[in-house]
């Protein structure tokens, strides 16, 4: 919830202000901050699993209990869904002002606001390009997390949250252009469902970009 609130929040501020209160650099910085804060607010209890792909990798490679996997993923998705609704409720009048009315919500066009919630690929990108972008970004995320916590690789210890911040910022700054570096289904699919539930966006949330929605849902798990 914290991750999505700070992450979707900075996109809302940037987009709904028409770039007057943010830009891509602030988006990358604030998403890194979102992961940092999400980690620090939950690490003591759960180990701060904010991403189903990370939890799956921990089960496969780091002996995380498989019996806990469904509950963790459910918690991550539910948190992302609630976080997106809280952002929407906070910014609802800005949405109205940006789109042109309370019941006007669009996915494409000059006043589209769906990108506040979830990622969309560049129009020129085909499905293979979409998959490659998310696969590489997701793999770099997991490689970075494992490298910074591996006992045989000079682990960061208490400095890990800062390393995580730099990792997310680096991925966003280097690989965010094509698909928005979703790298996390709880960060993309859950807010996409939230956008669908508030109404107005329609099926285009899922059909746009040759049904791009499935890429950030599936590929981060593979990555």
């Amino acid at each position: 919830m914290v991750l999505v609130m700070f992450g979707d929040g900075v996109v809302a501020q940037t987009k709904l202000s028409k770039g007057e209160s943010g830009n891509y650099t602030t988006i990358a910085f604030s998403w890194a901050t979102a992961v940092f804060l999400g980690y620090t607010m939950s690490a003591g209890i759960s180990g701060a699993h904010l991403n189903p792909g990370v939890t799956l990798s921990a089960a496969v490679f780091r002996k995380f209990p498989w019996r806990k996997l469904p509950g963790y993923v459910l918690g991550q998705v539910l948190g992302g869904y609630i976080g997106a609704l809280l952002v929407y409720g906070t910014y609802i009048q800005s949405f109205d002002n940006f789109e042109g009315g309370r019941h006007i919500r669009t996915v494409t066009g000059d006043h589209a606001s769906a990108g506040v919630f979830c990622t969309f690929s560049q129009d020129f990108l085909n499905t293979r390009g979409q998959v490659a972008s998310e696969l590489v970004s997701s793999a770099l995320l997991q490689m970075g997390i494992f490298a910074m916590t591996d006992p045989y690789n000079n682990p960061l210890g208490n400095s890990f949250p800062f390393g995580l911040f730099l990792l997310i910022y680096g991925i966003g700054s280097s690989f965010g252009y094509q698909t928005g570096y979703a790298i996390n289904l709880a960060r993309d699919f859950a807010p996409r469902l939230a956008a669908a539930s508030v109404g107005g966006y329609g099926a285009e949330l899922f059909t746009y970009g040759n049904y791009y929605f499935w890429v950030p849902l599936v590929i981060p798990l593979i990555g």
Side-chain angles (χ1 to χ4, degrees), residues 165-180:
F165 173 91
L166 292 174
L167 176 62
I168 299 299
Y169 183 75
I171 292 173
S173 298
S174 301
F175 294 96
Y177 169 61
Q178 296 190 122
T179 56

Side-chain angles (χ1 to χ4, degrees), residues 122-154:
Q122 295 291 340
D123 291 338
F124 61 81
L125 216 60
N126 60 24
T127 300
R128 183 172 58 183
Q130 295 169 353
V131 168
S133 183
E134 284 300 309
L135 186 68
V136 169
S137 300
S138 301
L140 285 172
L141 171 66
Q142 191 59 60
M143 289 168 62
I145 291 173
F146 275 179
M148 290 187 288
T149 57
D150 193 319
Y152 300 102
N153 191 47
N154 192 22

Side-chain angles (χ1 to χ4, degrees), residues 64-86:
F64 181 79
W66 283 97
R67 61 181 175 79
K68 292 185 177 182
L69 182 64
Y72 268 57
V73 172
L74 177 62
Q76 292 155 355
V77 173
L78 181 61
Y81 181 83
I82 293 172
L85 290 181
L86 288 170

